[in-house]
Amino acid sequence: MNKNCLKNQFSVWMFQFSFLLIILIFAACAPQPSTMSTRTSVQDPIQAFKQEIERLQKKYNIPGMSVAVLQNQQAIFADAFGYVDIENKIPATADTPYNIASLTKTFGAALLMKLVEEGKLNLQDKMADLLKDTQFQYDKQTIDGYENACKEIKKASRDTTFEYAFLLKDYRCDTRRIDVKHHLTHTAQGVPGDAYRYNGFLFGFLSLVAEEVSGKKFAELLVENIIRPLNMTRTAPSINNNIRQQVLADRAKYYKMGFGGDFVLSSYPVKLSSSAGMISTVLDLAKFDVAMDHNMIVSEATKELMFTPNISNSGKPLPYGLGWFAQNYKGKMLVWHYGWAPKAYSSLILKAPEDEVTLILLANSDGASAPFRLGAGNVLRSPFAVAFLNLFTDLSVFQQ
């Protein structure tokens, strides 16, 4: 296979995951602790939250963003700030569609676990067995089978001139047993199950798994099992082509900071997979959140498994469950996921299950994720998360 062809396709597939390299730049740049009051000292938490979001929007250079807060499965706040199209002065609304980046993983995980419940998949199934006959698409060519694709991946990972080789480092698909669960928990690199290493590219392989065991395309599975039953009419993949065209037409434009300190139009190539690529609104994502709370997609037992931190081979709790981050803070579990397309867009969903509250945030720059190193597994680095928790739970949180 032509080496340049492989590189070109990897550049498209893995551009959306290059934040793993960029994120290191921010390691020494943790913001100062927040002094936000808890809800016990705030008479109107919704108004206080709105003011804090407006402040953070300006501070982190976000042209437009949409935010929803759910309490007891009801939207108590759904609003938007700034512009989704600066040039044409189009304001953001709660109904504005955005690329949701890695929040797609929560949908992909729900589909995988539904297939487990249906007996079509086992988390201990070997990736090599499931995908042995799968065609891996690289540009206009294909590689037949997981074993052959693995050889090409190994070659690319050793290529010091290949800028995305770090994403494939220590993926030992030629010598190690790698199971579905390892991809679902970001523990597929090195000795499988030993350590957590966030890797969206490898998580994207789960699309192929879902398609292989179901006999249906990943987009079709999303629509059939989640999007249509929940009447998510501002989401892509879409219930029909007319809805899809409207969603794409209304989607937020994306921006990055120019050299002069102004906003410049940006773009980000993305392909739908279990890892990224969906488009949605905070209100449609609220429908998904409520459905998860009411066990409409997977059972209560399966949901609890998804929301529980994975345990390493040595017995160490890791920051990721099955398609969701899960961390304990002051005795309470926080379940969440973030999305980050560098210099383009960002997103966050944060659930405090014991308090029955959820935050959903979508933004048209990377400012809601880029500064906070969320891939390390600590949502308390986000001032947006801290403001939400302080005002809508009984936790007293400082930004870490």
Side-chain angles (χ1 to χ4, degrees):
M1 180 176 179
N2 185 285
K3 182 178 179 181
N4 290 332
C5 175
L6 177 59
K7 286 185 179 181
N8 289 340
Q9 181 61 17
F10 272 132
S11 294
V12 173
W13 278 23
M14 294 186 288
F15 182 67
Q16 57 189 297
F17 308 117
S18 58
F19 65 84
L20 290 176
L21 179 62
I22 299 170
I23 204 169
L24 297 177
I25 298 172
F26 298 97
C29 302
Q32 293 299 310
S34 168
T35 57
M36 189 105 186
S37 300
T38 65
R39 66 175 178 177
T40 57
S41 60
V42 176
Q43 291 184 343
D44 187 349
I46 291 178
Q47 185 60 31
F49 182 68
K50 182 176 180 178
Q51 292 173 358
E52 181 68 358
I53 292 297
E54 288 175 331
R55 182 185 73 81
L56 294 172
Q57 176 204 357
K58 295 181 177 67
K59 179 176 180 179
Y60 292 104
N61 300 313
I62 300 172
M65 61 192 305
S66 302
V67 183
V69 174
L70 279 70
Q71 188 172 61
N72 299 320
Q73 293 83 49
Q74 298 290 325
I76 61 170
F77 177 84
D79 207 344
F81 309 85
Y83 292 99
V84 292
D85 183 339
I86 295 174
E87 293 74 22
N88 295 301
K89 302 298 182 185
I90 298 176
T93 74
D95 207 33
T96 297
Y98 300 75
N99 281 82
I100 68 171
S102 286
L103 298 198
T104 304
K105 290 180 175 66
T106 64
F107 286 80
L111 286 179
L112 266 290
M113 296 309 294
K114 184 173 177 62
L115 291 168
V116 169
E117 289 187 339
E118 292 172 352
K120 297 176 180 177
L121 180 67
N122 191 300
L123 292 182
Q124 281 67 50
D125 286 342
K126 290 174 59 177
M127 296 290 289
D129 290 343
L130 290 171
L131 302 182
K132 63 180 183 299
D133 298 323
T134 301
Q135 287 192 325
F136 289 75
Q137 300 291 328
Y138 295 114
D139 201 12
K140 295 181 180 179
Q141 301 187 41
T142 62
I143 296 177
D144 290 324
Y146 182 85
E147 183 178 352
N148 289 331
C150 183
K151 292 177 182 177
E152 296 298 328
I153 288 171
K154 296 300 288 185
K155 289 178 185 177
S157 70
R158 292 192 293 265
D159 183 357
T160 57
T161 66
F162 186 23
E163 61 182 318
Y164 300 117
F166 72 98
L167 288 173
L168 304 172
K169 184 179 180 182
D170 292 332
Y171 185 62
R172 304 171 187 173
C173 48
D174 54 342
T175 60
R176 294 284 185 175
R177 177 192 171 108
I178 301 176
D179 298 342
V180 171
K181 185 178 179 180
H182 296 134
H183 278 249
L184 198 55
T185 58
H186 297 286
T187 59
Q189 291 168 274
V191 176
D194 262 12
Y196 160 84
R197 192 185 302 180
Y198 190 88
N199 191 320
F201 173 69
L202 295 180
F203 197 99
F205 277 34
L206 294 170
S207 308
L208 301 175
V209 170
E211 292 177 348
E212 188 68 18
V213 301
S214 69
K216 298 179 180 180
K217 294 294 185 182
F218 183 69
E220 183 182 353
L221 289 170
L222 281 173
V223 172
E224 180 181 296
N225 292 280
I226 300 176
I227 293 170
R228 182 179 288 116
L230 301 184
N231 196 32
M232 297 174 69
T233 57
R234 297 285 283 169
T235 295
S238 304
I239 296 170
N240 59 52
N241 191 57
N242 289 337
I243 291 176
R244 180 179 183 275
Q245 293 304 318
Q246 191 64 56
V247 168
L248 294 177
D250 295 342
R251 177 174 49 178
K253 291 184 177 180
Y254 301 110
Y255 296 90
K256 60 184 177 181
M257 293 302 296
F259 290 112
D262 54 345
F263 291 114
V264 178
L265 277 172
S266 179
S267 62
Y268 198 86
V270 65
K271 177 182 178 182
L272 178 66
S273 73
S274 51
S275 187
M278 288 182 65
I279 301 167
S280 195
T281 69
V282 294
L283 294 177
D284 261 10
L285 292 176
K287 295 176 183 178
F288 173 66
D289 179 69
V290 170
M292 288 295 292
D293 282 348
H294 285 287
N295 310 315
M296 295 168 61
I297 302 171
V298 295
S299 69
E300 175 76 19
T302 294
K303 180 184 69 179
E304 291 304 312
L305 189 62
M306 296 173 72
F307 289 178
T308 299
N310 185 43
I311 303 298
S312 73
N313 294 336
S314 63
K316 176 184 176 182
L318 301 176
Y320 207 83
L322 300 173
W324 290 80
F325 287 91
Q327 69 181 98
N328 190 294
Y329 181 71
K330 294 185 177 179
K332 289 191 175 183
M333 189 59 64
L334 304 178
V335 181
W336 58 280
H337 216 292
Y338 81 112
W340 178 18
K343 298 182 179 179
Y345 47 90
S346 48
S347 56
L348 177 67
I349 183 169
L350 168 58
K351 297 174 65 61
E354 293 174 59
D355 292 275
E356 296 188 88
V357 291
T358 299
L359 167 69
I360 303 170
L361 182 156
L362 302 174
N364 66 343
S365 79
D366 68 0
S369 294
F372 311 126
R373 300 199 303 127
L374 296 177
N378 183 4
V379 75
L380 303 183
R381 292 183 180 276
S382 166
F384 298 94
V386 168
F388 164 73
L389 293 170
N390 279 338
L391 287 164
F392 296 103
T393 76
D394 59 6
L395 295 171
S396 181
V397 185
F398 290 95
Q399 190 178 342
Q400 297 183 359

